[in-house]
Amino acid sequence: MKNDKPSFQTTTLWDFPKQSYGKTPKGNWRFRGVTPAGVIWNLLQRYTKPGDLVVDPMCGSGTTIDVAKEEGRRIISYDIAPCRDDIIQNDARSIPLQENSVDFVFIDSPYSDNIKYSDHSACIGKISCEKEEFFDEIEKVTQEIHRILKPGKVMAWLIGNHWRKKSGFIPVGIKLYQRLLKYFEPIDLICIARRHQTSNTPQWHERARKFNFYLRGFKYLFIMRKTEKQR
Ligand SMILES: C[S@@+](CC[C@H](N)C(=O)[O-])C[C@H]1O[C@@H](n2cnc3c(N)ncnc32)[C@H](O)[C@@H]1O
């Protein structure tokens, strides 16, 4: 870390030992499913410039807001269950912005029903990734992101895979990627090391050995571009 900023990542494996950086907190590290702030900082360095409009349709504890503001970007953020005054209550399947109006979108979505984010019935985190319905709802969010982005601009989507005792491995990231390819062209695929997992305990490591499964060690970060030519 230099000058209180995260390190600029030059490979496709990103690892941030701490959730936040700098003198002020970025999001809330206690929020379950919080994004490592270094992920958003790196994306903003590469795909935006000061003054650009950044949107996060599922903003959670507001990490994108705090990073974007400090970097001099304009930010509009939504969540179905806002936990801060600067987050607008909205369902990501219908974003109240004009088409072709946004410079960059970051989203870190639920990837199953493993975390309870809120009691709101429209929370996508209430749908299990074992059901195709999960991907159908996520595709509606994809369509909205595609609609609001300016042609040629970039979006990044952070998502994990899942393992369930009953159904085994569910390649959530790959299934989302198949949907994203219907709308966007790929720029790159980054692996984000997962730290501070609730499953990072001796008991869970013992279970992984005993029942012969793997604990999740990374998430996917899909970086995609809306092509210049309209779909
Ligand atoms: C992984 S968390 C986001 C974490 C956030 N990036 C942060 O750093 O705190 C996913 C968020 O998606 C929100 N969410 C779930 N369904 C939604 C929907 N239909 N529309 C908008 N937000 C939704 C949840 O309320 C939750 O806050």
Side-chain angles (χ1 to χ4, degrees):
M1 204 170 326
K2 215 175 165 188
N3 300 330
D4 284 343
K5 298 286 186 193
S7 50
F8 188 91
Q9 302 292 302
T10 49
T11 78
T12 54
L13 175 61
W14 297 5
D15 186 7
F16 303 101
K18 289 187 181 167
Q19 186 272 327
S20 195
Y21 62 85
K23 293 188 176 63
T24 53
K26 312 288 182 295
N28 179 355
W29 62 269
R30 290 185 188 87
F31 184 88
R32 278 200 74 194
V34 65
T35 309
V39 170
I40 301 164
W41 184 87
N42 268 271
L43 291 165
L44 295 189
Q45 304 312 307
R46 282 190 185 258
Y47 304 111
T48 68
K49 52 186 189 315
D52 273 0
L53 178 59
V54 174
V55 168
D56 186 336
M58 293 189 170
C59 200
S61 70
T63 312
T64 310
I65 303 174
D66 300 327
V67 176
K69 280 193 172 164
E70 198 171 282
E71 296 306 311
R73 274 64 168 170
R74 291 175 297 134
I75 170 79
I76 302 179
S77 46
Y78 305 100
D79 201 282
I80 199 73
C83 61
R84 293 168 40 161
D85 290 345
D86 49 3
I87 301 174
I88 301 162
Q89 207 261 328
N90 186 65
D91 189 325
R93 288 164 286 196
S94 172
I95 303 174
L97 291 174
Q98 285 192 340
E99 60 183 61
N100 305 331
S101 62
V102 171
D103 295 296
F104 181 76
V105 173
F106 174 75
I107 181 165
D108 179 355
S109 69
Y111 55 94
S112 194
D113 57 353
N114 54 325
I115 296 178
K116 184 181 176 189
Y117 292 107
S118 69
D119 287 324
H120 203 292
S121 58
C123 177
I124 291 179
K126 292 196 180 306
I127 312 172
S128 167
C129 65
E130 291 157 298
K131 296 182 186 159
E132 210 50 30
E133 180 197 352
F134 175 84
F135 298 96
D136 293 340
E137 296 312 308
I138 280 286
E139 184 166 345
K140 292 177 189 165
V141 181
T142 307
Q143 286 168 343
E144 276 299 87
I145 294 174
H146 184 267
R147 186 184 63 77
I148 63 171
L149 259 187
K150 293 177 185 168
K153 295 292 182 177
V154 175
M155 67 91 95
W157 196 312
L158 186 65
I159 197 155
N161 289 316
H162 207 47
W163 185 89
R164 282 257 158 104
K165 201 170 179 189
K166 204 173 87 200
S167 8
F169 175 63
I170 303 147
V172 184
I174 306 289
K175 293 186 79 170
L176 165 67
Y177 192 57
Q178 287 167 343
R179 304 274 179 141
L180 292 180
L181 286 174
K182 288 164 71 177
Y183 304 88
F184 298 94
E185 61 180 22
I187 293 180
D188 219 319
L189 161 53
I190 310 291
C191 280
I192 309 291
R194 294 181 71 156
R195 301 257 191 168
H196 317 298
Q197 296 283 86
T198 46
S199 60
N200 193 9
T201 61
Q203 291 91 323
W204 271 105
H205 287 285
E206 178 50 30
R207 273 180 220 164
R209 262 193 297 272
K210 193 169 164 193
F211 300 110
N212 202 14
F213 68 91
Y214 299 97
L215 298 170
R216 303 295 103 202
F218 67 90
K219 284 190 181 182
Y220 291 122
L221 180 67
F222 299 121
I223 307 177
M224 319 286 294
R225 192 189 304 278
K226 174 171 173 176
T227 51
E228 293 286 349
K229 221 169 68 184
Q230 282 287 14
R231 190 168 165 265

